[in-house]
Amino acid sequence: MDITCGRQASYERQNTRKSSSERLANYAKLYDAKVSLAKDFEMIDERFMFNKTLLSGIFELDYFPFFLPTIFGYVGSTEFLLDSITHHYTLISRCSSKRAGTRYFRGLDEEGSCAIEVETEQILITDNRLMSYRQLRGSTPLIWKSSPPDEILQPVTIDVTWAKQPVSRDSLHLHLVNLIERYGHPVTLISLLNRSNEKDRYKSLADAFREVFDGLQIQLGVQKIRLVEFDENHFVADIKTQMPKVIETLNTSFTNQGFFSHNIGFLDESFQHVMESRQHGIFRINGVDCIDMTNVVQFNIAEKVLYGMLASCGIHDLLPNSQNNKVKDLWVHNGRALALLHTGVPRVLYEEQIKSNWIIFLFGETAWWCIVRLGRLYMGTFRDSRRQEAFECMLGKMKHTADDAILLQKSVLRLATNQKSGLAFFILLKRFLAPRHVNTIPNLILAGIWLLGQAIVRTIVGETVWQTSELPRVGSRLDTRIIESSKDTPVIGLNSELKKRTSRDAAHLLEKAGSRGPGSKRNSTSRRLTIS
């Protein structure tokens, strides 16, 4: 007698008039689905685990409910109705912990980890299917750096001295190999840097990236990696015309990638869910800050994939405006959340290209641009160094000591003894009394006053005195000192890193093959995270 057929028919009769979430719950109860905390913990990708350092002291415990891995990013969910079916749509953005930091903490490190790297996944649950699609955003993958402005109207400085060096090329090689290992191929890199304007300060970075990438594309294979370049300035000028051209250019990549699809309403002979397709490859978008236009591009890519998912279910209708706005709301909130994490300002330029903004509607785009730029200028000038220290303390990359406090006090005393007590007093006020955020209108006004006051003080005391009297940014790596440190420390080369990775994989395979007997006690250290 075919028990599977009877169970499946019973399950379908019980869930005919229920929503997809209720079906999932009933299905788990019907088939006695169990969750193995130990197994799930070993499957965690520690790239996106932000409290690994905090949990490091209890890794040896056998009681897994104590472990609560957390991500740093955004999670949002909604429902929309289409073709008389309720669809569940979820958006998850996970920031990488490998090189996390603020807006001006950019580029790659010598191990191929990228700054501002965020994996965004959209999940669609329909009547009996679960589908997902992932995208990636990150800083331009070369070793380079930029410094935040210290005053109003002062330009951002870009340093691409290391961009074409062998260590930068090896870092990009490791980064691309890592992407292929994680997501498969083809990996399509979308660059929004400007190469057409000779006066643009990012043109040298874009040219260096193109040159280094072309060399690696020959080495890794044209079928595995691809670079598509679009000028962000052209988007701003005429985004409604330019965006369809971008999507059309990426049609081949859409076809080759596909998306993950899992049938949750049917079991095979071994009582396992049927996986219908996988996603092969990924889009990686990088712009100037990976915040504003990057979010618009990712939304348009996600929208095209969403309609592809619905079409695979036999639904070819477009979403009504009322339902489509629910999806747009998630992407607007996603952009604001990531902007808050990296810039300290929960506002995004060009978000009206996704959904209308009431401030832009009332006061115009210029007013919105001034609000966003003023907030980011203030945070970059006054707060980003401290926020960078918070990132690094959370991830265990640095610790504050008593020497740091002593160094700060000595700097203040040195200013006072050099008959610059007024300047020392202003710097202390700036450090401790300036607004910590610009999320409200009063704080935004105060931020403008502080920026103006600093410009006046800097003009009065003179540039030389100001540069020599600025308090140290204790413990901060905002100026990407990891690049300069390579002059004194041995560079982690490409061959050594690949060799280390091969040895690690071999050891993992030996352990998985069962070097211990079935009756031997499991070593508690095997529960440590092994995915990197």
Side-chain angles (χ1 to χ4, degrees), residues 507-526:
H508 179 66
L509 289 175
L510 286 175
E511 181 182 358
K512 196 173 180 179
S515 57
R516 296 164 298 182
S520 62
K521 185 178 179 180
R522 181 180 178 182
N523 190 350
S524 60
T525 58
S526 64

Side-chain angles (χ1 to χ4, degrees), residues 140-172:
T140 302
L142 291 175
I143 292 183
W144 63 288
K145 64 178 182 177
S146 66
S147 299
D150 290 330
E151 193 176 327
I152 300 175
L153 301 180
Q154 181 181 356
V156 177
T157 58
I158 305 297
D159 186 358
V160 294
T161 305
W162 290 79
K164 296 183 181 180
Q165 299 298 323
V167 62
S168 181
R169 180 186 181 279
D170 291 348
S171 297
L172 178 56

